[in-house]
Amino acid sequence: MRRLRPTDGTPLHKRAAQYHLAKLTTGGAPIHQELHAEMAAKYADLKAKARAVEDAEDDASAASALADHAEIKLENTIRDIDADLGKLDRQVPTLSAQIIVFPHGYGAEIDPEGAAQLAGLPALRARIAQFSAHGIVIEALARFDAAHEAFAKAIEAEEKAEALVDTLFAEELEARRAIREQFESAYGRLRDHYKARPALVEEFFLKEGRRRTPKKGPTDG
């Protein structure tokens, strides 16, 4: 019997299980029916767990796209605020609002990626709020708060989606383990059944490198 390894992927686990299931249908003893029922349940579970991971990965990709969109909107808002503060400084040259809010330029605020960008936003808002006596800054703060909230929610949704992928993949790994354990159980029980002809046991399990090569057609080279 070709023993599956934990490092073998789900497709190989499924292929080996399907081969085993089909072979068991050729046996006529109760042991074959019992083993078929047991493996069929574990195979169905692995299929369901693998599909759940695929669906969760799709959702995580969508959440990532929305987080990227929210991040771009936030960064554009920060750029606009920098420009607004430049206008304010031209109106009231003594304020120096732009350099106070962005002492290292707005690039320092937008360079961090993803969740790392969230960490500096409260301090940035506090610096902007120092100039909230001016109408242009009041409007800027409203835009900033909306963009900040949308980005924070998008990052939270992305992190939850990624965590769900990890959780479901762990369940898929457990389903693979159950398949491997079922093979070990089936092998031992079939050996007990075929005591006089133990070589027959191997016929119920996928062999290393087992794959039929399609026959060439009349027009093939």
Side-chain angles (χ1 to χ4, degrees):
M1 180 181 74
R2 191 272 199 216
R3 283 180 164 78
L4 293 170
R5 297 175 289 267
T7 53
D8 289 327
T10 292
L12 182 54
H13 280 71
K14 288 170 61 180
R15 188 160 69 91
Q18 275 284 45
Y19 186 92
H20 181 61
L21 285 166
K23 280 290 188 176
L24 287 170
T25 63
T26 66
I31 184 64
H32 300 109
Q33 297 172 14
E34 292 170 10
L35 292 175
H36 188 279
E38 292 171 11
M39 180 58 85
K42 291 177 173 60
Y43 175 74
D45 185 57
L46 177 58
K47 279 184 64 177
K49 295 290 172 52
R51 175 58 62 86
V53 171
E54 291 175 1
D55 291 344
E57 287 174 339
D58 289 344
D59 291 342
S61 294
S64 178
L66 294 176
D68 287 346
H69 177 70
E71 184 173 0
I72 290 170
K73 289 192 68 174
L74 172 66
E75 291 172 353
N76 287 338
T77 298
I78 291 173
R79 290 187 180 94
D80 291 343
I81 291 174
D82 176 71
D84 289 341
L85 294 176
K87 293 178 184 176
L88 181 60
D89 282 342
R90 287 191 290 276
Q91 294 171 6
V92 188
T94 58
L95 285 178
S96 300
Q98 194 175 34
I99 192 66
I100 290 174
V101 174
F102 299 105
H104 306 292
Y106 67 76
E109 308 298 334
I110 67 175
D111 283 346
E113 295 289 334
Q117 195 170 88
L118 284 171
L121 296 183
L124 174 58
R125 189 192 190 285
R127 295 197 300 274
I128 298 170
Q130 295 178 62
F131 303 96
S132 58
H134 303 273
I136 194 171
V137 176
I138 293 173
E139 295 176 2
L141 278 174
R143 297 196 309 273
F144 177 85
D145 288 343
H148 181 187
E149 181 181 7
F151 181 50
K153 287 182 177 179
I155 288 294
E156 181 182 8
E158 181 183 30
E159 290 176 345
K160 285 183 178 179
E162 291 173 348
L164 181 59
V165 170
D166 292 341
T167 298
L168 293 177
F169 183 61
E171 294 179 3
E172 181 180 345
L173 292 178
E174 280 298 300
R176 287 187 203 169
R177 183 183 59 77
I179 292 281
R180 295 194 300 274
E181 290 180 351
Q182 181 61 30
F183 276 129
E184 294 297 331
S185 174
Y187 190 78
R189 289 151 70 186
L190 286 171
R191 281 186 66 87
D192 290 341
H193 180 71
Y194 290 103
K195 290 179 181 178
R197 303 176 65 191
L200 291 177
V201 175
E202 299 298 331
E203 295 183 6
F204 291 90
F205 301 92
L206 184 69
K207 297 176 179 61
E208 189 79 42
R210 173 71 175 177
R211 186 183 292 274
R212 288 190 178 273
T213 302
K215 295 180 179 179
K216 290 184 178 180
T219 58
D220 293 337

